[in-house]
Amino acid sequence: MRCASIIRMMNHFLTEEVFTNGVSKYLKEFEYQNAVQDDLWEHLNDEANTMQIVDLPATVKEVMDTWTLQTGYPVVNAMRDGQNVTVNQKRFLLDSTATEETPTYWYVPLNLVRSSNVAEFDSTNATVWLYPNASSVEFTLDQDDEWYIINAQQTGYYRVNYDEKNWEALNKTLSESHEVIHVINRAQILDDALNLARAGLLNYTIALSLTQYLGQEKSYIPWATTADNLSYLRRMLETSGKYEEYRAYILSLIKDVLARVGFEFPVLEDVPANGNYPDVTEVMYNELIWGTACQMGEPWCHGNATEQFRNWKGNYNQSAPDQALLNPNIKGLVYCEGVRSGTVEDWDFVYEHYNKTNYAAERTLLLAAMACTKESWLLNKYLYMLLDPVTNGIRSQDVSRAFAYIAANPIGRAEAFKFVKVNWDHLKESYGGGISALGRFISPFSNFNTQYELELLQTLKRENEGTLGSAARAMDQTIESVVINIEWMNKNFDAVVGWLEANNAGGRGISVL
């Protein structure tokens, strides 16, 4: 993703014409030959000099070396004073406790969109550059500009942090007329704000307030980036006594979406005969909303999903297990809800289907569904089936994936850790030879967020110091993640819960099944 994002950024600051011509000449010259990245930079630089339609701050090599030979990426800080906006850069560090011994800087392409001229969203070329030093640059706004956005259509590979007044103005615009802002920049605003808050660079009150407009949002990208970011809050809160506050707030966001005319639970008949959807992002949007609704226990979603599960089970053809009976976009959701609210018979039925299906993608959905149960004894049974995968019909390549699904279930988290501790020698013997196989039984515990859980991991490491082998790196990384989670809990738990309590009234009246 990083490589693709950097290439996209380069395409925009060079312009499409320069980039396309330069790449074409590079590919033609090095056809059937070896090349290094400097060869590409040279051809792009030559094309930029030849066409003279873009003004670069340095050679393409000098610009791109700051992006390809350094780790990380910057956060651009913007501060407004009257009509002037001062911009500087700093390396973005998600870990709020981390520091840099030597500051890292980049050549950063900048552009600005003003509230008085939203047509600037279509102008993605760089108008100003930050240089790889501690200097800053300035933009000038019109007097009547209520807000401004840096990085039109998020073509630059960096985050942006604004002054508090601009965040408030953006929040007001999202609430009152969100479509004025380009859809990609709506996603950017949410993604930047929530990541900046997690990194300790922005107050969570500001970041979470920006999400309140989402009930009006009909586009997939802003919802997807928000769901991805809020999943961290969910993981931090789901084993606490305050998870209900998170659940109620998410339900308050999606209730307006579910209430829209024509927004129905997907069925098999919705799939086009030729398989080609007019707008695939609409399909992804529906899948995301319904998936979130069921995960939060929304009754309408639960009822639809369990009804489809019963119909699938009732019409199941033993001789043709892969017969199409469900909309493929919500299969995983239906399987999961069926198991979550079902009986041991339903769990066994899903397990039997796992052993009959001919499709690897279907098996993955079923592995995840079997971990959706609320019964701890069933999760424990599932865990111990993994010790003898051949006998139990579970493919060896699916074992670590199934384990991760079980550990991701709050009910199964403690059982999963106990399983690893008790069966370490067996796991070491079976999976210790691979480069990262054994580590896959450690990494799922990176969601731990209490001192007690940290001590459990440290004890496991200490007791098996000499036998960690390929899991040593995963163990260290997991412990590091848990330390960061504990720091986050200490700094942000009360503030986040307090904000949720004050803003989730719209979801309190929705019963949970």
Side-chain angles (χ1 to χ4, degrees), residues 27-40:
L27 292 174
K28 185 174 182 179
E29 179 170 336
F30 289 96
E31 187 177 17
Y32 307 118
Q33 299 180 54
N34 294 327
V36 295
Q37 68 174 19
D38 284 0
D39 296 319
L40 175 59

Side-chain angles (χ1 to χ4, degrees), residues 270-292:
D270 294 336
V271 180
N274 61 3
N276 295 324
Y277 291 93
D279 182 1
V280 71
T281 62
E282 182 179 349
V283 177
M284 297 165 72
Y285 175 81
N286 290 345
E287 181 183 354
L288 173 62
I289 295 298
W290 285 113
T292 302

Side-chain angles (χ1 to χ4, degrees), residues 178 183 186 213-219 222-223 257 260 285:
H178 65 277
V183 61
R186 299 201 297 269
Y213 92 97
L214 282 168
Q216 311 167 49
E217 181 61 76
K218 298 180 181 180
S219 296
W223 260 104
V257 180
R260 288 182 201 145
Y285 175 81

Side-chain angles (χ1 to χ4, degrees), residues 101-176:
E101 291 185 9
T102 303
T104 308
Y105 298 106
W106 293 259
Y107 280 103
V108 184
L110 302 173
N111 50 47
L112 187 88
V113 180
R114 302 162 179 82
S115 63
S116 61
N117 187 12
V118 294
E120 290 175 320
F121 278 117
D122 295 324
S123 301
T124 58
N125 296 340
T127 57
V128 177
W129 287 79
L130 281 172
Y131 285 71
N133 53 43
S135 63
S136 60
V137 296
E138 285 193 354
F139 287 101
T140 301
L141 303 177
D142 293 335
Q143 193 168 3
D144 58 347
D145 280 324
E146 296 179 2
W147 52 263
Y148 62 95
I149 290 175
I150 292 174
N151 201 8
Q153 297 190 42
Q154 202 175 10
T155 52
Y157 188 61
Y158 51 86
R159 300 199 180 280
V160 184
N161 195 2
Y162 300 103
D163 56 87
E164 187 171 336
K165 286 187 177 180
N166 196 59
W167 281 119
E168 291 173 354
L170 291 173
N171 188 18
K172 183 174 183 289
T173 303
L174 288 174
S175 298
E176 296 177 355

Side-chain angles (χ1 to χ4, degrees), residues 315-321 349 352 356:
N315 294 300
Y316 190 81
N317 188 339
Q318 298 286 346
S319 59
F349 192 88
E352 290 170 10
K356 290 178 180 177

